[in-house]
Amino acid sequence: MARARYFIIWKELDPRRRRVFQVFSFIIPLAVWSLVSYCPAVWHPMVRVSDPGSIGHFRVDAMVQKGAFYRENAKALAEHRKPAQGVLANPVYLPAPHEVAKSFYKAFVTPPRLPEEPWLHESLWHSIKIIIWGFLISSVIAVPLGILAGTYRIFSYMTEPFVEFFRYLPAPAFAALSVAVLGIYDGPKVAIIVIGTFFQQVLMISNTTQRLDPALLEAAQTLGARGLKLFTRVVIPGILPDVYRDMRILLGWAWTYLIVAEVVGNSTGITWFINQQAKYRIYDNVYAAIIMIGIIGITTDIFLAWLGSELFVWKSRKRSILSRLRTVYTTSRTEPETAQVSHDNA
Amino acid sequence: MTMHDVSLPSYLEQSPEVSARFRRIAERPVVLKVNRLGKTFDGVKGRIQALHDISFQVRRREFISIIGPSGCGKSTLVRILAGLDDHSAGEILLDDREVTGPGRDRGMVFQGYTLFPWLTVLKNVMFGLELSNSSNGISGVSAEQEARGWIEMVGLEAFADAYPHELSGGMKQRVAIARALANRPRILLMDEPFGALDAQTRAKMQSYLLQIWKNVDITILFITHDLEEAIYLSDRIVVLKANPGEIQEVIEVPVEHPRSPEQFLSQEFLATKKRLEELIHPAKDAEDMLPIIRMTQVGDDVY
């Protein structure tokens, strides 16, 4: 029963299989998309006219509903006129994967329609700037506040009830207000990101702080640490990797507020690009832009995850690049005889 | 034949060397004095008396163990001594000064190691030294030198730059001991420090601890539930009983120093063990027998 090993609860797969299945997670949606795009039998409700024949209101390359096309042709045949010809196609809003792939390149090299409009890369950069500013402003206040609330009860009681209340208020609800206060340019957009991120951030960081192993605080106390020293030497270093992980998750959330934020005031950034392309009915560009947000998001996250595992070697339980280099370039460092990198005290 | 049937000398009999040693200890100054200590807390079923009227003294460089059945409050007691929990009655005097709250004069080694995972072995041992830097004016360099000395003493100089997660349980506990000793506490409190280790590592750690105790000016108060461990390591054993946690007896261990594993079978060792067994596991009562219905066939007996 070789198949049975996939259905053992929480049983880790070997690295090769794991990678195969991880690739599958992308291949499956792509395969579904390809099936719908390249297999006319699956959907294809439209006909792209290649030769209008005798039918007056058909044009070359026009998209016609399958039913209407067949009706017109049946009528033409009955009247002994030349029927139209065409190929089955999907609606214009569902381009095939290869068209989207092409527009990945095309979208970057196509100049904007109007001279004062930004190029795609300029739009993307504008979006990234909004995210960075929003996330930065939120973090500068929320991280210290969250850590304080997670450490000292007084801060917890003085902030958390209000934060709990406020986090239910949807950030887009503040759109009109933030335009009134901050104008129509980037101010209100950054404000939406801040409002969307800040309150979750305070609660999340506070929660993380409270999960610090209390035995470490006790150990530090028996070693003579007290008061502020306890805070700076145990609480902060102890929670840092978990706070870092929270920040990664929150950065993802900040991106989800981006599309809403960018239509506030004057539309800008990647949202402006998407809406503009949709207006021109260039849907392959729309898909390309949406996928690009995903790619930027996941690359940032993978990079930050890697950076985190290098910064917090003790948490990732691996050896940092520095220490690996040291082993390569120094002759003999005694290897731990009974060392174990196992889960014995996880 | 159980151990209780063997004819053994009384645990109260001491060889001349042993009683001379206890006389010498009695002349040393008292480091820790626990005076009528009590602890109550409110549980679901009302007020619970965890510890009641606990009094004992520990003299300089004495090794004293506290032993008792589970629930006797021995961990509570050591946590109170460390200042991590409050007591409700009595007082604790360290060098005749009353202590409240945790402090560097009472080092503690926990069962769960509690090494700071983000610090290397060296930095862990330096933790207490660096804290006192500001007040004592010790420079960082000398703190590091001192820490390295302690790491060397527990035999881990090759691992000074390793992180705790790279070490085995026994090695972690050696670092924890070095870290506590580096602070030069007046007394070292150890709360079942070897409880999580396997039998072999535990035996090795016991021998390490005796060596450290012999060579370092330190008084040790050791919590354990392992009778043999208590006898092997201690000068005196404080036996607690549960509900409420009270002192049952303070036993002077008649086993000679220096201790070695061969002594586990000596008459004095066995006599002390027999006494401890009597105190901690009193005569078999009915609740030890499970009300099991026989579910095997006739003729299929295991004995």
Side-chain angles (χ1 to χ4, degrees):
Chain A
M1 288 293 280
R3 236 174 296 123
R5 73 175 153 228
Y6 294 117
F7 296 99
I8 301 169
I9 293 171
W10 291 326
K11 172 85 177 152
E12 189 51 274
L13 301 178
D14 61 72
R16 199 175 54 84
R17 286 210 169 74
R18 196 165 59 199
R19 226 161 297 135
V20 167
F21 288 122
Q22 282 171 335
V23 171
F24 258 103
S25 81
F26 276 96
I27 289 191
I28 292 165
L30 199 62
V32 172
W33 185 14
S34 302
L35 192 75
V36 175
S37 299
Y38 300 130
C39 227
V42 179
W43 193 34
H44 288 62
M46 311 294 281
V47 175
R48 185 186 295 278
V49 179
S50 55
D51 174 10
S54 61
I55 297 155
H57 61 277
F58 282 7
R59 295 278 174 276
V60 177
D61 271 353
M63 300 290 257
V64 184
Q65 291 277 354
K66 203 153 61 176
F69 183 82
Y70 290 143
R71 253 195 329 276
E72 291 292 333
N73 265 4
K75 221 190 312 173
L77 281 172
E79 294 168 9
H80 302 288
R81 285 190 284 115
K82 192 177 172 223
Q85 286 184 349
V87 283
L88 288 174
N90 272 334
V92 67
Y93 57 78
L94 187 69
H98 75 273
E99 293 167 331
V100 174
K102 254 192 282 178
S103 61
F104 254 88
Y105 170 74
K106 224 172 54 200
F108 277 105
V109 295
T110 312
R113 295 210 171 189
L114 301 172
E116 73 272 20
E117 287 177 352
W119 289 64
L120 173 58
H121 63 91
E122 289 170 325
S123 291
L124 272 173
W125 178 236
H126 193 264
S127 293
I128 291 172
K129 273 196 300 196
I130 299 280
I131 291 280
I132 291 176
W133 275 114
F135 193 68
L136 214 64
I137 292 171
S138 169
S139 302
V140 161
I141 311 167
V143 173
L145 194 61
I147 293 177
L148 284 176
T151 310
Y152 302 109
R153 289 289 183 264
I154 173 171
F155 288 101
S156 161
Y157 292 129
M158 267 187 354
T159 56
E160 280 175 15
F162 178 74
V163 169
E164 287 276 7
F165 157 74
F166 210 102
R167 81 192 171 105
Y168 281 98
L169 310 183
F174 292 88
L177 201 58
S178 52
V179 168
V181 178
L182 296 164
I184 60 162
Y185 298 104
D186 288 350
K189 301 175 177 57
V190 173
I192 296 292
I193 306 267
V194 171
I195 293 170
T197 315
F198 179 83
F199 299 94
Q200 304 290 348
Q201 204 169 14
V202 172
L203 287 183
M204 215 161 151
I205 304 276
S206 160
N207 238 310
T208 293
T209 308
Q210 286 177 45
R211 278 203 310 272
L212 178 72
D213 182 2
L216 294 178
L217 285 172
E218 291 183 345
Q221 281 175 293
T222 63
L223 291 167
R226 57 180 64 216
L228 201 61
K229 282 270 164 68
L230 219 44
F231 182 70
T232 55
R233 293 204 167 222
V234 183
V235 176
I236 299 285
I239 61 167
L240 220 47
D242 291 329
V243 167
Y244 183 85
R245 188 212 51 215
D246 287 352
M247 299 290 269
R248 270 174 54 206
I249 296 170
L250 286 157
L251 186 60
W253 290 4
W255 274 96
T256 63
Y257 283 104
L258 179 71
I259 301 297
V260 176
E262 282 184 334
V263 294
V264 174
N266 69 333
S267 176
T268 57
I270 193 71
T271 313
W272 171 83
F273 180 82
I274 289 172
N275 290 345
Q276 202 73 354
Q277 299 302 311
K279 216 187 307 177
Y280 301 143
R281 297 172 68 82
I282 313 174
Y283 286 101
D284 23 352
N285 278 354
V286 172
Y287 280 85
I290 290 173
I291 293 171
M292 237 171 266
I293 297 178
I295 290 174
I296 292 172
I298 200 165
T299 341
T300 321
D301 193 66
I302 289 173
F303 170 74
L304 290 177
W306 170 82
L307 186 70
S309 71
E310 291 298 325
L311 284 175
F312 308 109
V313 183
W314 58 274
K315 195 80 182 185
S316 55
R317 304 195 155 214
K318 68 171 196 183
R319 296 172 58 207
S320 71
I321 283 190
L322 267 176
S323 102
R324 265 174 279 165
L325 284 177
R326 213 164 29 204
T327 335
V328 174
Y329 292 112
T330 56
T331 40
S332 67
R333 173 181 183 258
T334 7
E335 279 302 312
E337 91 242 30
T338 46
Q340 43 184 41
V341 191
S342 65
H343 315 289
D344 64 336
N345 66 343
Chain B
M1 191 170 73
T2 69
M3 207 173 68
H4 297 269
D5 303 326
V6 189
S7 77
L8 289 168
S10 164
Y11 70 99
L12 295 169
E13 276 174 34
Q14 293 175 354
S15 69
E17 291 83 8
V18 171
S19 59
R21 183 179 147 75
F22 277 115
R23 278 197 301 278
R24 281 203 307 279
I25 289 175
E27 287 162 16
R28 297 189 199 143
V30 173
V31 171
L32 179 76
K33 192 170 184 179
V34 178
N35 238 343
R36 306 192 60 103
L37 193 76
K39 168 80 177 170
T40 52
F41 56 86
D42 296 315
V44 239
K45 293 178 192 165
R47 180 148 288 206
I48 294 169
Q49 181 95 32
L51 292 171
H52 176 245
D53 203 18
I54 305 275
S55 299
F56 63 92
Q57 298 180 347
V58 188
R59 292 178 184 275
R60 195 174 80 79
R61 297 207 64 192
E62 200 180 2
F63 196 125
I64 189 160
S65 284
I66 293 179
I67 198 168
S70 57
C72 69
K74 51 189 188 292
S75 272
T76 311
L77 175 59
V78 77
R79 287 178 58 83
I80 291 173
L81 296 180
L84 297 172
D85 282 343
D86 300 325
H87 52 278
S88 352
E91 56 180 3
I92 302 158
L93 302 171
L94 190 73
D95 294 324
D96 289 326
R97 280 197 320 273
E98 177 152 19
V99 286
T100 47
R104 50 189 290 121
D105 47 4
R106 284 147 294 142
M108 176 108 166
V109 174
F110 301 81
Q111 184 178 352
Y113 318 124
T114 64
L115 296 181
F116 304 116
W118 59 91
L119 297 177
T120 60
V121 167
L122 178 67
K123 290 283 180 185
N124 259 288
V125 177
M126 283 171 72
F127 188 89
L129 297 170
E130 284 184 331
L131 283 173
S132 61
N133 269 359
S134 40
S135 46
N136 293 0
I138 308 171
S139 72
V141 181
S142 78
E144 182 178 331
Q145 274 169 356
E146 203 176 332
R148 282 193 190 278
W150 289 105
I151 293 168
E152 210 170 298
M153 193 192 67
V154 295
L156 291 174
E157 58 271 36
F159 299 96
D161 295 322
Y163 284 94
H165 72 83
E166 298 174 89
L167 307 179
S168 68
M171 291 157 94
K172 279 183 209 168
Q173 205 55 297
R174 271 143 75 190
V175 177
I177 292 170
R179 181 179 68 174
L181 290 177
N183 253 353
R184 308 263 178 168
R186 289 295 290 154
I187 187 164
L188 183 63
L189 309 168
M190 303 182 86
D191 186 6
E192 302 206 30
F194 310 145
L197 303 176
D198 61 86
Q200 256 179 329
T201 315
R202 172 189 279 241
K204 222 188 271 175
M205 291 298 294
Q206 290 166 352
S207 127
Y208 285 140
L209 184 59
L210 283 177
Q211 291 172 47
I212 291 167
W213 176 56
K214 181 166 179 276
N215 294 305
V216 180
D217 178 4
I218 188 71
T219 311
I220 298 179
L221 187 138
F222 193 95
I223 305 284
T224 180
H225 62 258
D226 181 333
L227 310 185
E228 292 188 334
E229 184 170 69
I231 304 166
Y232 180 52
L233 296 175
S234 330
D235 289 316
R236 285 191 300 148
I237 301 173
V238 176
V239 186
L240 296 186
K241 70 169 192 59
N243 305 318
E246 280 175 328
I247 292 183
Q248 233 177 333
E249 188 175 345
V250 180
I251 292 176
E252 294 187 336
V253 179
V255 183
E256 278 178 38
H257 279 85
R259 301 272 164 83
S260 71
E262 292 88 69
Q263 289 170 316
F264 274 65
L265 294 172
S266 72
Q267 300 266 296
E268 302 85 20
F269 196 101
L270 293 175
T272 318
K273 191 174 170 193
K274 181 180 161 195
R275 177 61 186 159
L276 288 177
E277 295 243 340
E278 283 164 8
L279 289 171
I280 290 174
H281 315 291
K284 248 203 186 87
D285 34 332
E287 55 189 81
D288 277 2
M289 301 301 290
L290 296 171
I292 296 176
I293 309 162
R294 197 179 156 90
M295 291 165 75
T296 61
Q297 288 169 0
V298 177
D300 196 21
D301 295 322
V302 283
Y303 57 85

